[in-house]
Amino acid sequence: MMAELFDVFPYLENDRVIIRKMELNDVAALAEISSNDNVYKFLPPFLYKKSNKALETAIKNLGGRDFEKKKHIIAGVYLKENPNRLVGLAEMFDYKKRENKITVGYRLNEDYWNKKIATNVLKLMIEYLVSEVNISTVQAFVMPENIYSSKVLLNNGFVKEAYTLQEKNWGGQDTVTLDVYTYKKD
């Protein structure tokens, strides 16, 4: 039997990365990610430059209330070689049950860019969403300038759509155009 998306908070791993619920001792590492302008210039300002107290509350809510209310899954990304150090976030959100569709995202601490970590994170999320939860369509939205993220998506079987979306408040800009990438289950 297939798992339901919000039955259990996912714990996913492969030989490189672990995706799991964040803990309160991740606050300092999360602050490092959330205060970096280079991370946020390509993203909506979720958790941006918040106080440690606010990040502590966010960690509790992301692993608790938000998950229980079936809002989204925002999990921590950790490396196998150092499983207690948060290096990024794996995001699964905007689940449309009737369309069997979800949106994914990922953000990494800048020190961990270009090390194939995002590729591993995306692979794990896709395996989980498609094989275990049986979701048929996974989407991701990327600013056109974010060429590395586009490559990660294309290398993981996503297709760039012919249309774009207008979103507000990404990268600190009023309105941005986003490329849409879609992964469809065979």
Side-chain angles (χ1 to χ4, degrees):
M1 205 183 94
M2 286 288 171
E4 279 290 320
L5 184 63
F6 290 101
D7 279 354
V8 179
F9 199 98
Y11 180 98
L12 313 172
E13 66 177 307
N14 64 19
D15 55 356
R16 288 243 12 233
V17 299
I18 298 167
I19 297 174
R20 64 170 170 79
K21 193 185 286 195
M22 286 183 280
E23 291 163 14
L24 289 178
N25 59 5
D26 291 325
V27 166
L30 186 57
E32 228 175 88
I33 296 165
S34 71
S35 62
N36 184 328
D37 288 324
N38 289 332
V39 173
Y40 277 85
K41 73 180 175 198
F42 295 126
L43 297 163
F46 157 75
L47 293 181
Y48 188 57
K49 289 188 177 172
K50 299 255 168 77
S51 68
N52 279 7
K53 191 90 197 109
L55 291 176
E56 228 169 81
T57 304
I59 286 173
K60 280 184 202 151
N61 290 343
L62 291 170
R65 187 191 70 194
D66 292 359
F67 178 76
E68 283 145 28
K69 285 186 170 171
K70 304 181 189 261
K71 229 167 115 181
H72 47 226
I73 297 172
I74 310 290
V77 173
Y78 307 81
L79 297 180
K80 265 299 202 12
E81 69 209 28
N82 188 0
N84 296 316
R85 165 103 170 112
L86 176 75
V87 299
L89 299 175
E91 304 159 15
M92 297 168 250
F93 57 98
D94 197 21
Y95 177 47
K96 293 183 171 69
K97 193 171 179 145
R98 287 178 63 192
E99 296 172 50
N100 201 15
K101 178 175 168 177
I102 196 164
T103 304
V104 295
Y106 41 83
R107 58 193 77 205
L108 294 175
N109 179 316
E110 192 176 4
D111 296 345
Y112 296 89
W113 287 4
N114 300 317
K115 295 180 179 0
K116 298 263 185 267
I117 296 168
T119 296
N120 276 276
V121 169
L122 187 61
K123 264 193 184 118
L124 275 174
M125 285 195 288
I126 294 297
E127 279 166 21
Y128 170 69
L129 293 167
V130 171
S131 304
E132 288 182 45
V133 186
N134 206 21
I135 288 177
S136 59
T137 306
V138 182
Q139 278 197 310
F141 307 118
V142 180
M143 287 169 73
E145 311 84 280
N146 194 348
I147 51 171
Y148 292 109
S149 198
S150 301
K151 280 183 183 162
V152 167
L153 291 162
L154 293 170
N155 290 338
N156 277 284
F158 280 71
V159 173
K160 185 179 177 191
E161 298 294 347
Y163 63 93
T164 57
L165 288 181
Q166 297 295 312
E167 285 288 326
K168 291 188 177 340
N169 214 0
W170 275 54
Q173 300 172 51
D174 285 344
T175 310
V176 294
T177 299
L178 298 176
D179 289 331
V180 178
Y181 290 82
T182 307
Y183 180 97
K184 287 210 184 288
K185 185 176 178 172
D186 297 333

